[in-house]
């Protein structure tokens, strides 16, 4: 399993680098992707990646890092397939184009709970135990 984990991490990291992404220097399977943009853009982009490309990643933004910078964190696992890695690379290429074109510029930080919370509407509608 450990070999498969590192195999996947290295495929992802190599693919990102070949596509021009800055991943810095990492000695971990946790893969950072460095980009430029504000908190609002980072939030809108990560929501797009999660909701439309079905890829989970987390973001690191100001005040943890300087304003104008974004770090996306990807964590491949041993259970990811080559297709999963390919889809992740394609999603990052597509969303980076949108970021560069200004498509994620918004006035306010999107409310992730408002968007993703819709998946749990059934909990609200379900009768409660008395």
């Amino acid at each position: 399993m450990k070999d498969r984990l590192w195999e996947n991490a290295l495929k992802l990291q190599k693919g990102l680098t070949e596509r021009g992404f800055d991943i810095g220097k990492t000695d971990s399977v946790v893969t950072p992707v460095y980009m430029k943009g504000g908190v609002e853009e980072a939030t809108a982009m990560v929501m797009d990646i999660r909701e439309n490309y079905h890829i989970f990643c987390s973001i690191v933004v100001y005040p943890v890092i300087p304003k104008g910078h974004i770090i996306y964190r990807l964590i491949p696992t041993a259970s990811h397939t080559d297709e999963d890695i390919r889809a992740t690379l394609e999603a990052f290429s597509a969303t980076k184009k949108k970021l560069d074109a200004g498509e994620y510029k918004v006035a306010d930080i999107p409310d992730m709970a408002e968007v993703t919370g819709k998946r749990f509407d059934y909990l609200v509608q379900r009768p409660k135990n008395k």
Side-chain angles (χ1 to χ4, degrees):
M1 271 305 204
K2 185 178 175 186
D3 291 339
R4 178 71 179 163
L5 171 63
W6 274 103
E7 226 177 86
N8 284 346
L10 293 172
K11 282 180 194 174
L12 177 65
Q13 292 169 1
K14 182 180 180 206
L16 288 164
T17 302
E18 286 174 348
R19 289 169 183 252
F21 288 95
D22 178 4
I23 65 167
K25 174 158 178 16
T26 182
D27 295 326
S28 168
V29 296
V30 177
T31 302
V33 182
Y34 300 91
M35 294 189 199
K36 300 282 187 187
V39 175
E40 299 83 1
E41 292 169 296
T43 306
M45 183 176 165
V46 80
M47 286 175 61
D48 187 17
I49 289 170
R50 289 179 185 176
E51 298 300 314
N52 299 315
Y53 296 90
H54 311 289
I55 295 167
F56 178 82
C57 72
S58 60
I59 53 175
V60 181
V61 294
Y62 177 83
V64 178
I65 59 174
K67 280 186 179 182
H69 295 271
I70 305 167
I71 301 174
Y72 292 93
R73 294 178 72 232
L74 295 167
I75 305 174
T77 68
S79 64
H80 283 113
T81 64
D82 287 346
E83 174 58 25
D84 294 329
I85 294 167
R86 185 199 58 72
T88 300
L89 294 171
E90 287 180 9
F92 263 77
S93 292
T95 54
K96 175 75 165 85
K97 284 181 188 173
K98 292 179 188 179
L99 178 69
D100 291 345
E103 291 183 37
Y104 295 123
K105 287 204 182 288
V106 292
D108 297 312
I109 297 173
D111 185 346
M112 284 191 195
E114 185 179 299
V115 173
T116 58
K118 292 177 185 170
R119 293 184 187 149
F120 302 104
D121 284 346
Y122 70 92
L123 292 173
V124 176
Q125 298 165 355
R126 186 174 66 189
K128 297 183 191 277
N129 293 337
K130 295 183 181 178

